[in-house]
Amino acid sequence: MSVLPTHLIRHTVLHGDCVEVMQRMTSGSVDFILTDPPYLCRYKSRIGQTIANDDRDGWVGPAFAEMYRLLKPDAFCVSFYGWNAVDKFVAAWRTTGFHLVGHIVFRKRYASATGYTESRHEQAYLLAKGRPELSGSPVPDVMDWEYTGNRLHPTQKPINVLRPLIEAFCPPDGQVLDPFCGSGSTLVAARLAGRCCVGIELETTHCHTAELRLNSQLHAGARKLAG
Ligand SMILES: C[S@@+](CC[C@H](N)C(=O)[O-])C[C@H]1O[C@@H](n2cnc3c(N)ncnc32)[C@H](O)[C@@H]1O
């Protein structure tokens, strides 16, 4: 199994199962993880699109164990999660060694689903490896959500929501990892925030979308530098 020197990888999308890919990466090499794993809710969009591994939970423990290993000491992970599988996610985070140090609710101006209640929020946990220093200006734990239209991915996250999380929890010259990167929204947000980024994605189509988005972001940055 060849080793991927994570500290030398910059602005890359890696294709494959994130548990297997992360096993090849160097321990303690990542400054911040921002990720949006399958919610374990058997998601189906209005036009029938599904999310890989959303119907099984065997990957949750191994994936977060690898994320924990890859993070530097005293660093953060922000993970979105499905509220109806909170027990599975929290159990994996605690078993792995993460401290649950914050919970962020993202308020939607629209209902993304309707059941006993209207679904008008997304949610993410702030997890810590070790004890990172407190910030002098902490971010609020309720934020506004933006609808992306899901044109690039069935559950595409808004860049304007991800970017402040990267700016708050990743050092200015740091490396961001998203092991479930989908269409690459975290990677685009990381580039806009001036951070390096590595994404991993299982599905070939989403992997290509993420590569295209990241490359066009990198070219835009290069054009700006060239004046
Ligand atoms: C909730 S979506 C992420 C969407 C992303 N935040 C965006 O804005 O496009 C989760 C992604 O994880 C991918 N995935 C599921 N299991 C995976 C695995 N074992 N390794 C890597 N990617 C995986 C799915 O294909 C899906 O694209």
Side-chain angles (χ1 to χ4, degrees):
M1 191 163 64
S2 63
V3 174
L4 292 165
T6 324
H7 58 294
L8 299 179
I9 302 175
R10 295 278 182 264
H11 320 310
T12 309
V13 184
L14 301 167
H15 184 208
D17 179 319
C18 66
V19 176
E20 289 169 15
V21 175
M22 286 192 286
Q23 280 168 350
R24 296 166 51 205
M25 294 174 147
T26 323
S27 300
S29 58
V30 169
D31 294 281
F32 175 53
I33 295 173
L34 174 54
T35 196
D36 175 27
Y39 279 13
L40 303 178
C41 66
R42 296 174 185 270
Y43 174 85
K44 203 168 222 181
S45 75
R46 289 189 183 97
I47 55 167
Q49 298 157 298
T50 55
I51 302 293
N53 283 325
D54 202 30
D55 57 348
R56 69 201 75 178
D57 60 20
W59 52 268
V60 181
F64 281 97
E66 283 304 316
M67 288 185 230
Y68 188 86
R69 183 182 67 77
L70 293 184
L71 269 182
K72 291 182 179 170
D74 302 323
F76 293 108
C77 167
V78 170
S79 180
F80 289 87
Y81 70 97
W83 62 264
N84 36 1
V86 61
D87 52 332
K88 306 233 166 63
F89 285 100
V90 170
W93 295 329
R94 289 199 199 282
T95 305
T96 301
F98 277 116
H99 302 292
L100 280 57
V101 295
H103 186 252
I104 308 174
V105 172
F106 303 88
R107 192 172 32 203
K108 292 178 176 172
R109 281 183 302 231
Y110 59 94
S112 51
T114 308
Y116 292 107
T117 60
E118 286 190 326
S119 302
R120 286 179 174 270
H121 74 280
E122 290 285 331
Q123 58 287 319
Y125 264 98
L126 175 64
L127 309 167
K129 174 175 178 176
R131 293 285 176 204
E133 274 181 35
L134 281 175
S135 158
S137 50
V139 290
D141 65 3
V142 178
M143 300 185 189
D144 288 328
W145 190 256
E146 271 174 32
Y147 182 52
T148 61
N150 296 329
R151 283 182 291 273
L152 300 174
H153 189 284
T155 62
Q156 189 184 332
K157 296 286 184 282
I159 287 164
N160 288 347
V161 165
L162 303 177
R163 183 174 173 175
L165 299 172
I166 293 168
E167 288 167 344
F169 299 114
C170 181
D173 54 350
Q175 168 97 302
V176 182
L177 170 68
D178 183 352
F180 296 93
C181 78
S183 64
S185 307
T186 300
L187 314 181
V188 174
R191 284 310 303 139
L192 289 170
R195 272 62 168 186
C196 299
C197 55
V198 177
I200 308 171
E201 171 56 44
L202 185 63
E203 297 277 359
T204 311
T205 315
H206 299 324
C207 197
H208 286 156
T209 307
E211 277 169 350
L212 284 172
R213 289 179 87 192
L214 182 57
N215 285 339
S216 76
Q217 201 56 50
L218 289 170
H219 290 144
R223 276 198 301 274
K224 213 166 158 189
L225 276 180

